[in-house]
Amino acid sequence: MTSQPTLTKAENGPGDPGEPGSGLHAGLKNRHLSMIAIGGVIGAGLFVGSSSGIATAGPGILLSYALVGTLVVLVMRMLGEMSAANPTSGSFSAHADRALGRWAGFSIGWLYWFFWVVVLAVEATAGAKILESWMPGVPQWGWALIVMVVLTATNLVSVGSYGEFEFWFAGIKVVAIGAFIVVGGLAVFGVLPGVDSDKAGIGNLTEHGGFLPHGPGAILTGVLLVVFSFMGSEIATLAAGESENPQRAVTKSTNSIIWRIGVFYLGSILVVVSLVPWNDPTIKEKGSYVAALDSLGIAHAGQIMNFIVLTSVLSCLNSGLYTASRMAFSLGRRGDAPKAFARTTSRGVPMAAIIASVAFGFVAVFFNYRFPDSVFLFLVNSSGAVALFVWLVICFSQLRMRKIIQAEAPEKLVVRMWLYPYLTWATAGLIVFVLAYMLTDTEGESSGRTTVLLSLAVAAVVIVIALVKEKVRGGGRAAAVEHQADRVSAG
């Protein structure tokens, strides 16, 4: 078990081994952190994937979102407790390293990195499809390349340029959803001037087969469809390490996650299922948000939503590259990745970590175009359950870290998990239940069972590598100690 140093304005100083620069810089401003925290919970999956959830569970999808949202709030509270006490770019990986052992920090760090570099390929392809539909003169692969290169360059400049891009990307998402909720809400209650929607009304929640038209079991099926759209809420705790006041940033983002999920997820989905009956065929044909905008007679609703989805895709790409590179930096700094990953430029940018992350992303994009139904499908499925693995590790880390913090520096417990340890155990139990329930989903090539089993297989390989590495490292230390003892004895 290793101790993680406290992070102040930079994760490491100029005197660190192999560090030519001055470590990660505190280049993120408060407004950057605020938008990163808000934007982190609004992924493209909310706009694109919600239609499947509505078709599966009807208005009851609100309960699915509420259940997963509650789970995320509890996990983020635990992560906030640990990160406020010790802000670091390694976030939950660094906490697991100290709380559970080197093997845990190594394993979850690399799995998380793997998840995000696969996401880079998924989002680059999604963005390329939209851009090609607007400007077909450039092929999809060309747009994917352009998007990846531009955002890589942004991340290589400085952490401030990442923060500035994310500020505007997230800002567009926030304004768009806020406007949608206000306009849609007025239409639901029949007070929107100039709009006469005969479909809108609260009655849509209980009519057309009831609130749960497919029965209570559909709520759990809906959970499987929406759970992965919440991945990204933890980005704020990684980014906080490069802010001027990490502890304040973590505390603020942790305390605000309840209203962020309540407004952006539950609020917007409530408006959708109130504006349009859940079984309206346009929801599946056009997407839930486009169908809702169309029902209000808003011109060019599809193109408006494409622009918002593109913004969300670019935001996810930007944050995904940032997150993967910072996790690689943290792993390098702890000796669990090549030392080059822990080196930064004079601007505080971990160049090698960024280039390595985007290189794998480019390879995954190639696989998506060349082998979409084999290699790339394996990559997507084998990283699909990593979000749940991360949340589970956060639970077990917090159980141990609370005791460590109380023993070493109780004054750092500025954020506390509610009803510790009972609510932590309950949260872990719920995550295990969701994973077990996914095993019952056997439909399609990307079924829940396939995703869980492949993700578990990849996780098992990484854990074995971690344990072997730890054993070799331990054996090396023992040999060094024995050699030193022999020298002392001979002297």
Side-chain angles (χ1 to χ4, degrees):
M1 187 157 42
T2 60
S3 173
Q4 296 300 318
T6 301
L7 182 68
T8 53
K9 291 204 179 230
E11 171 139 349
N12 50 338
D16 287 347
E19 195 68 47
S22 55
L24 298 180
H25 289 184
L28 293 176
K29 301 175 182 176
N30 288 334
R31 64 184 179 89
H32 293 154
L33 262 296
S34 297
M35 276 302 177
I36 289 170
I38 294 172
V41 297
I42 309 173
L46 173 62
F47 302 109
V48 179
S50 55
S51 56
S52 298
I54 292 172
T56 299
I61 194 66
L62 286 166
L63 297 181
S64 302
Y65 273 104
L67 186 60
V68 179
T70 301
L71 182 63
V72 172
V73 167
L74 294 173
V75 170
M76 282 301 297
R77 187 75 186 181
M78 298 176 218
L79 182 55
E81 176 182 295
M82 295 184 289
S83 295
N86 179 27
T88 169
S89 67
S91 189
F92 50 84
S93 173
H95 304 321
D97 189 301
R98 186 172 187 196
L100 306 176
R102 292 296 297 270
W103 68 271
F106 176 98
S107 303
I108 204 63
W110 277 113
L111 285 173
Y112 189 69
W113 179 86
F114 175 56
F115 170 85
W116 277 111
V117 292
V118 172
V119 166
L120 289 181
V122 174
E123 299 296 339
T125 304
K129 286 181 180 178
I130 295 174
L131 289 167
E132 188 195 29
S133 70
W134 291 344
M135 290 169 276
V138 179
Q140 264 192 47
W141 67 265
W143 280 119
L145 181 65
I146 290 169
V147 167
M148 292 274 276
V149 168
V150 169
L151 292 179
T152 300
T154 300
N155 275 265
L156 284 172
V157 172
S158 70
V159 68
S161 62
Y162 154 72
E164 198 63 32
F165 267 69
E166 192 57 25
F167 175 81
W168 292 105
F169 286 151
I172 292 172
K173 290 190 290 186
V174 169
V175 170
I177 291 188
F180 175 80
I181 292 173
V182 171
V183 172
L186 292 174
V188 169
F189 292 103
V191 294
L192 184 65
V195 173
D196 181 22
S197 177
D198 55 350
K199 296 180 180 179
I202 295 296
N204 283 329
L205 297 177
T206 53
E207 297 168 4
H208 314 288
F211 185 71
L212 293 171
H214 299 307
I219 297 172
L220 290 175
T221 306
V223 165
L224 304 187
L225 295 172
V226 306
V227 66
F228 303 109
S229 66
F230 283 84
M231 192 64 170
S233 53
E234 72 292 331
I235 292 176
T237 63
L238 281 93
E242 292 176 83
S243 67
E244 295 176 354
N245 190 332
Q247 189 178 74
R248 179 179 177 275
V250 169
T251 303
K252 187 176 179 182
S253 66
T254 301
N255 291 335
S256 64
I257 193 168
I258 295 177
W259 72 261
R260 284 186 274 135
I261 288 176
V263 171
F264 296 121
Y265 277 87
L266 293 178
S268 63
I269 294 296
L270 175 61
V271 168
V272 168
V273 293
S274 298
L275 284 175
V276 186
W278 70 270
N279 56 355
D280 191 308
T282 59
I283 289 182
K284 289 196 81 172
E285 292 168 7
K286 301 178 179 179
S288 53
Y289 287 83
V290 174
L293 291 174
D294 272 346
S295 74
L296 300 178
I298 295 177
H300 309 294
Q303 292 304 320
I304 292 172
M305 192 50 59
N306 271 341
F307 173 73
I308 296 170
V309 170
L310 178 63
T311 302
S312 296
V313 163
L314 294 176
S315 171
C316 189
L317 266 171
N318 195 36
S319 289
L321 182 53
Y322 170 83
T323 305
S325 64
R326 268 35 177 201
M327 185 58 73
F329 169 85
S330 180
L331 287 166
R333 186 165 173 258
R334 286 178 272 146
D336 292 331
K339 289 182 179 179
F341 287 4
R343 298 193 183 103
T344 59
T345 66
S346 59
R347 296 186 302 274
V349 174
M351 182 180 290
I354 291 175
I355 292 174
S357 299
V358 80
F360 193 96
F362 276 124
V363 171
V365 169
F366 169 76
F367 286 146
N368 194 7
Y369 286 106
R370 188 70 180 83
F371 310 105
D373 299 322
S374 54
V375 180
F376 188 71
L377 187 63
F378 169 80
L379 291 176
V380 172
N381 285 338
S382 61
S383 65
V386 167
L388 293 168
F389 295 166
V390 167
W391 295 348
L392 197 58
V393 167
I394 289 172
C395 291
F396 291 127
S397 297
Q398 190 266 338
L399 287 168
R400 173 75 178 129
M401 279 300 293
R402 167 67 75 89
K403 297 175 182 177
I404 295 174
I405 298 169
Q406 283 179 325
E408 295 181 356
E411 71 280 0
K412 290 185 177 181
L413 278 172
V414 294
V415 175
R416 289 175 178 263
M417 176 59 183
W418 306 298
L419 298 177
Y420 168 85
Y422 309 108
L423 206 47
T424 302
W425 280 111
T427 305
L430 181 57
I431 295 170
V432 171
F433 174 77
V434 171
L435 285 167
Y437 191 77
M438 286 178 69
L439 292 173
T440 67
D441 175 26
T442 57
E443 295 183 12
E445 293 179 316
S446 297
S447 66
R449 176 177 292 180
T450 301
T451 297
V452 171
L453 292 178
L454 284 179
S455 296
L456 282 173
V458 171
V461 171
V462 175
I463 290 172
V464 167
I465 293 173
L467 293 174
V468 170
K469 190 175 188 299
E470 191 169 353
K471 187 173 182 180
V472 169
R473 190 178 334 197
R477 284 202 199 98
V481 170
E482 186 177 346
H483 177 67
Q484 184 65 23
D486 288 342
R487 288 184 62 188
V488 170
S489 148

